[in-house]
Amino acid sequence: MEVVIVADAEAAGAIAAGIVERLLGTKPACVIGVATGSSPVITYRRLVEAFCAGRITFAGAHAVLLDEYVGLPADHPQRYRRFVHEQLVEHVDLPVEHVHAPDVDTQDLAEAGRRYEALLTELGGVDVQLLGIGSDGHVGFNEPGSSLRSRTRIKTLTAATRADNARFFANLDAVPRHVMTQGLATIGDARHLVLIACGVGKAPPIAAAVEGPLTASCPASILQLHPHVTVVIDEAAASGLTHAAYYRETHAGKPSWQHY
Ligand code: F6R
């Protein structure tokens, strides 16, 4: 796991966008795993800038969503598919039919989960999966207690996550209780995991995920099992890390030929 500590959210977004930009350059028909929420917004903005500057094309790429709320109408502003369209897809040349999300509008959500897993396999797997982290240590919407081998399925949000996400809704009651999310094993199948976290509120879950025990109580601790993880955090999110000095030293001395 590579932990990259940067000054602020702008710098974090630039690094994450640079990883996707490089992927698009080396593998134009790639599969990008897209997260929602606040954490990847700067990354998407940077990617849009790179596209507008003519440095990248998304024409051959696919985007797969990490998760989606259950129970919101298809045109609801907080639907994650809509979020990804507004933040990224509408501004670049990614074909709309190349944007995939779990089907949360069906009656049979268990089958929808299986179909999503089959789709990810058909696409050849996810090349780079962008991730945020919840204050309770969730990745995707795998809340504490999620099976470490879980696959795409319905989950119930914790009270903490619903309170965190209430800022996007009219009030707490409007926040859905259920989501469909890629499982922890699904996320672990991606070839490169890139987690972005900024702000002091992310310090406890980052410390638990990066340096705590591997446990379902902190689902993001599955990052420790993965052979290629880049955790990009600002100083505030790094403030609970015991080995921060080592991560800084490692990054400062990173060989010029070594990519993220
Ligand atoms: C979103 C997702 C969640 C968020 C997490 C952090 O697709 O899967 O895990 O990444 O809740 O949200 P923000 O970035 O809004 O703090």
Side-chain angles (χ1 to χ4, degrees):
M1 182 188 302
E2 182 172 20
V3 181
V4 183
I5 304 170
V6 294
D8 53 27
E10 281 295 332
I15 287 178
I19 291 171
V20 177
E21 192 175 330
R22 183 165 184 277
L23 171 68
L24 286 162
T26 54
K27 186 179 179 185
C30 60
V31 179
I32 307 164
V34 288
T36 57
S38 307
S39 301
V41 166
I42 295 170
T43 304
Y44 297 144
R45 177 160 49 74
R46 291 285 190 143
L47 287 171
V48 171
E49 286 165 8
F51 169 75
C52 292
R55 292 205 305 271
I56 48 173
T57 171
F58 292 80
H62 285 258
V64 293
L65 271 75
L66 197 49
D67 38 29
E68 181 60 279
Y69 286 118
V70 172
L72 294 182
D75 60 351
H76 193 284
Q78 291 307 325
R79 279 284 286 251
Y80 280 167
R81 184 185 269 278
R82 184 160 161 181
F83 174 95
V84 168
H85 273 262
E86 286 173 356
Q87 297 292 326
L88 180 68
V89 181
E90 282 171 12
H91 312 287
V92 299
D93 61 349
L94 181 61
V96 171
E97 64 277 14
H98 285 193
V99 183
H100 312 278
D103 178 9
V104 292
D105 300 314
T106 176
Q107 291 300 310
D108 192 345
L109 291 173
E111 175 56 19
R114 287 189 286 273
R115 281 207 310 273
Y116 201 57
E117 290 285 331
L119 172 81
L120 296 178
T121 303
E122 259 168 54
L123 291 173
V126 175
D127 291 294
V128 167
Q129 176 64 60
L130 298 172
L131 297 167
I133 187 169
S135 59
D136 62 3
H138 69 232
V139 277
F141 275 129
N142 295 281
E143 297 286 28
S146 290
S147 160
L148 300 183
R149 296 179 66 179
S150 50
R151 294 277 166 193
T152 305
R153 71 222 182 284
I154 188 169
K155 284 295 289 181
T156 302
L157 295 177
T158 60
T161 299
R162 290 186 66 243
D164 286 346
N165 288 5
R167 69 190 191 279
F168 298 115
F169 291 83
N171 52 54
L172 181 58
D173 284 342
V175 184
R177 291 182 183 278
H178 295 109
V179 289
M180 285 278 284
T181 180
Q182 288 188 28
L184 292 173
T186 319
I187 292 168
D189 283 347
R191 286 182 270 282
H192 184 184
L193 303 179
V194 179
L195 187 143
I196 308 153
C198 294
V200 72
K202 304 289 183 179
I206 283 293
V210 173
E211 295 181 340
L214 172 65
T215 168
S217 295
C218 177
S221 64
I222 56 129
L223 298 185
Q224 296 175 26
L225 287 173
H226 197 281
H228 192 184
V229 177
T230 309
V231 174
V232 193
I233 51 181
D234 70 355
E235 295 286 348
S239 58
L241 291 171
T242 303
H243 303 297
Y246 172 67
Y247 308 137
R248 284 196 186 91
E249 184 187 331
T250 303
H251 191 245
K254 192 175 167 70
S256 56
W257 49 262
Q258 195 181 50
H259 302 289
Y260 290 111

